[in-house]
Amino acid sequence: MKKINYLRTMLFLPFIAALAAFVLGQLGGRSEMGEFIQVSMAVGAIPLLVTIGILLYISWRSTFDSFHKWWLFAPFLMALVIIVLVFALFSIRTVFSTHDWASLVPEFAISMLLGFYCVIVGYAYVLPAAGVGYLLEKIGLVVAPAEEAFYL
């Protein structure tokens, strides 16, 4: 398997983990970790899809090295997406109401906390996936690409 395909596949790891937690929960294997994964997915599914879309676009339009750096930066990118989405939602609410901009301070704080949460939870996926990818590359199951301009 090419390393870029491995990295693209690992972008969907949170969805795979949430699906596995749901299936195990239905089979009677309820756990706090499974519920945590499901709640995280319920809160972050839309920002995660936006982040995956951005990263897939980058993977098809840039070099592997550039995509690999963005892939490692993915939790911060998702945090930025969440901050922008949450802040935009509350800004629209404020624009169409009689509230002043100072009322956005709690919403901004919430978006920042969600962004911080994304970075922590995101690296709980990215670091193990990077480690497994490194090991798979060392044993030859994942092949690092040669220098090419674009990877399809």
Side-chain angles (χ1 to χ4, degrees):
M1 170 188 277
K2 289 184 179 179
K3 189 169 183 178
I4 195 158
N5 292 332
Y6 172 79
L7 296 177
R8 286 176 182 157
T9 303
M10 289 298 104
L11 290 174
F12 296 94
L13 186 59
F15 289 111
I16 296 166
L19 180 63
F22 176 76
V23 169
L24 288 174
Q26 294 300 314
L27 296 174
R30 288 209 172 276
S31 72
E32 288 79 22
M33 182 59 94
E35 290 176 16
F36 173 77
I37 290 170
Q38 289 176 351
V39 169
S40 293
M41 184 53 62
V43 170
I46 292 173
L48 180 60
L49 286 173
V50 171
T51 304
I52 289 172
I54 292 168
L55 289 170
L56 287 175
Y57 180 79
I58 291 169
S59 77
W60 288 314
R61 295 293 177 196
S62 70
T63 63
F64 171 78
D65 289 336
S66 177
F67 170 62
H68 189 249
K69 289 175 187 172
W70 277 100
W71 184 85
L72 291 170
F73 185 70
F76 286 102
L77 179 61
M78 185 168 167
L80 180 63
V81 168
I82 280 189
I83 290 168
V84 168
L85 287 176
V86 169
F87 197 69
L89 283 171
F90 286 116
S91 296
I92 291 169
R93 178 190 59 92
T94 302
V95 167
F96 292 112
S97 69
T98 58
H99 296 87
D100 59 1
W101 286 97
S103 67
L104 287 177
V105 172
E107 286 86 355
F108 184 71
I110 290 170
S111 68
M112 294 302 285
L113 287 172
L114 284 173
F116 183 67
Y117 173 81
C118 268
V119 170
I120 292 171
V121 173
Y123 277 109
Y125 289 107
V126 169
L127 294 177
V132 169
Y134 177 77
L135 292 175
L136 291 175
E137 189 176 342
K138 287 298 178 190
I139 63 174
L141 294 176
V142 171
V143 180
E147 282 300 316
E148 296 177 20
F150 297 98
Y151 295 90
L152 296 176

